[in-house]
């Protein structure tokens, strides 16, 4: 009985350091954000008095304006549009890269080497990788100069930089790797005998891909989707820098409110954003059981 008691306590002791870190750096800050979202502020002073006015300000006259969209709904629509576009592109590119590494490269050593090459961009800052697009996409950038020199255009293209295109391109550049890793990990776990059995049964390459590989990679796709969605939904640096401060997003709205010391309203916006992201994650976990991967 004493040995059984010790064995029952040991797992909790082993999990305690991680649980304390989780509590101190995630749970408590989130609780504080929720608490501050119900405080009031006046003349840049925060007053710990309970009010729901901050949430009313976030959704100021949104319901009464329907079917027209208020500023908050327009901002969320813009953010969700970027999120959907980036998710589709990163999923397509990431799946192709992961498939190539897992099934087309036969040597494990070469697989590891190519996978390491995919991680090389992460050795530099995200900001540096963002800025690297400016000399390429600017009016006097390499792309415009090449197109003009080839006679394809007469004047520089203004929409290449500080636009939705540059923001989406940068997002895909920065976050595709977050899709590659979990999908590649899922594909490595696929039993190759299943593919051989499907091929022996007369299945074509596309049938094997759609009916065998994709279903067995759903867990990795879901995990990669969660990574990409959560990062894009809360991003404000990429949209601000590559969008020329002209594109609205929820993360940028929160950043502006913080810069004006409007912490309670910023906290309310953050709570609404967190709830939105959690709903998206909940929907993904209803489709795919990611516990199989963990």
């Amino acid at each position: 009985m004493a040995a059984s008691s010790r064995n029952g306590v040991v797992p909790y002791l082993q999990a305690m350091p991680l649980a304390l870190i989780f509590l101190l750096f995630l749970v408590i800050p989130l609780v504080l954000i929720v608490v501050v979202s119900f405080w009031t502020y006046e003349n840049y002073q925060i007053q710990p008095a309970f009010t729901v006015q901050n949430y009313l300000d976030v959704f100021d006259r949104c319901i009464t304006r329907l079917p027209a969209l208020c500023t908050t709904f327009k901002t969320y629509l813009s953010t969700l549009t970027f999120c959907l576009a980036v998710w589709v592109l990163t999923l397509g590119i990431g799946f192709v890269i992961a498939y190539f590494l897992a099934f087309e490269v036969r040597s494990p050593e070469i697989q590891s080497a190519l996978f390491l090459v995919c991680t090389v961009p992460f050795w530099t800052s995200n900001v540096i990788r963002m800025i690297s697009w400016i000399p390429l996409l600017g009016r006097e950038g390499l792309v415009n100069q090449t197109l003009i020199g080839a006679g394809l255009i007469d004047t520089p293209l203004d929409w290449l930089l500080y636009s939705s295109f540059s923001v989406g391109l940068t997002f895909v550049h920065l976050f595709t790797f977050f899709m590659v890793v979990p999908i590649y990990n899922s594909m490595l776990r696929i039993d190759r005998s299943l593919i051989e059995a499907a091929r022996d049964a007369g299945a074509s390459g596309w049938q094997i891909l759609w009916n065998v590989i994709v279903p067995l990679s759903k867990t990795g796709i879901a995990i990669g989707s969660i990574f990409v969605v959560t990062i894009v939904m809360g991003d404000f640096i990429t949209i601000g820098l590559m969008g020329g401060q002209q594109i609205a997003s929820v993360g940028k709205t929160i950043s502006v409110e913080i810069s004006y010391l409007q912490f309670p309203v910023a906290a309310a916006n953050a709570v609404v954003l967190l709830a939105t992201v959690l709903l998206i994650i909940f929907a993904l976990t209803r489709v795919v059981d990611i516990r199989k991967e963990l």
Side-chain angles (χ1 to χ4, degrees):
M1 292 179 61
S4 177
S5 177
R6 287 196 300 269
N7 292 334
V9 173
V10 168
Y12 293 97
L13 294 177
Q14 292 174 334
M16 186 176 297
L18 182 59
L20 289 176
I21 294 175
F22 182 80
L23 177 66
L24 291 175
F25 295 103
L26 181 64
V27 176
I28 292 179
L30 286 178
V31 171
L32 291 177
I33 290 174
V34 174
V35 171
V36 172
S37 70
F38 290 101
W39 288 3
T40 62
Y41 67 98
E42 185 177 356
N43 297 328
Y44 303 108
Q45 292 182 348
I46 299 177
Q47 300 175 358
F50 181 84
T51 180
V52 295
Q53 186 61 42
N54 298 319
Y55 290 93
L56 296 178
D57 291 339
V58 170
F59 295 101
D60 182 27
R61 292 174 294 182
C62 284
I63 304 299
T64 58
R65 292 185 185 182
L66 294 175
L69 297 180
C70 65
T71 302
T72 299
F73 285 169
K74 288 181 180 178
T75 303
Y76 269 91
L77 181 60
S78 173
T79 305
L80 289 171
T81 301
F82 269 117
C83 187
L84 178 61
V86 172
W87 174 74
V88 171
L89 291 172
T90 55
L91 175 58
I93 298 172
F95 188 90
V96 171
I97 294 174
Y99 179 88
F100 175 78
L101 292 176
F103 296 104
E104 298 299 327
V105 180
R106 302 298 182 182
S107 171
E109 292 77 12
I110 298 179
Q111 277 184 343
S112 301
L114 292 177
F115 185 79
L116 182 62
V117 170
C118 293
T119 68
V120 170
F122 283 81
W123 298 356
T124 59
S125 169
N126 277 9
V127 177
I128 294 176
R129 285 185 283 156
M130 280 185 245
I131 295 175
S132 67
W133 284 105
I134 296 178
L136 294 175
L137 303 177
R139 285 182 59 86
E140 303 298 328
L142 181 61
V143 175
N144 272 317
Q145 292 302 313
T146 301
L147 293 176
I148 292 174
L152 299 177
I153 59 175
D154 297 325
T155 58
L157 301 176
D158 293 326
W159 55 266
L160 290 179
L161 186 61
Y162 304 136
S163 63
S164 299
F165 171 79
S166 60
V167 172
L169 179 64
T170 306
F171 273 142
V172 173
H173 172 217
L174 294 178
F175 304 137
T176 297
F177 186 70
F178 289 99
M179 194 70 78
V180 172
V181 174
I183 296 177
Y184 174 65
N185 186 46
S186 293
M187 288 182 175
L188 286 181
R189 299 184 180 188
I190 296 176
D191 189 351
R192 298 309 190 262
S193 63
L194 297 176
I195 299 175
E196 293 298 329
R199 186 175 290 112
D200 292 340
S204 64
W206 286 106
Q207 289 175 324
I208 293 174
L209 176 65
W210 186 251
N211 296 309
V212 179
I213 296 177
V214 171
L216 295 177
S217 302
K218 286 194 301 183
T219 304
I221 293 173
I223 294 175
S225 300
I226 290 173
F227 284 148
V228 172
V229 167
T230 53
I231 296 174
V232 173
M233 286 293 292
D235 183 274
F236 63 95
I237 297 177
T238 305
I239 290 182
L241 181 61
M242 301 304 296
Q245 307 299 333
Q246 303 174 31
I247 299 175
S249 73
V250 182
K252 186 179 175 184
T253 300
I254 296 173
S255 175
V256 171
E257 289 169 345
I258 291 175
S259 66
Y260 285 107
L261 304 182
Q262 298 175 349
F263 295 112
V265 175
N269 255 315
V271 172
V272 174
L273 175 60
L274 176 62
T276 304
V277 173
L278 289 178
L279 284 175
I280 297 174
I281 295 175
F282 178 79
L284 289 172
T285 56
R286 293 300 90 189
V287 176
V288 180
D289 186 7
I290 63 174
R291 290 176 297 180
K292 295 180 180 179
E293 188 80 9
L294 301 178

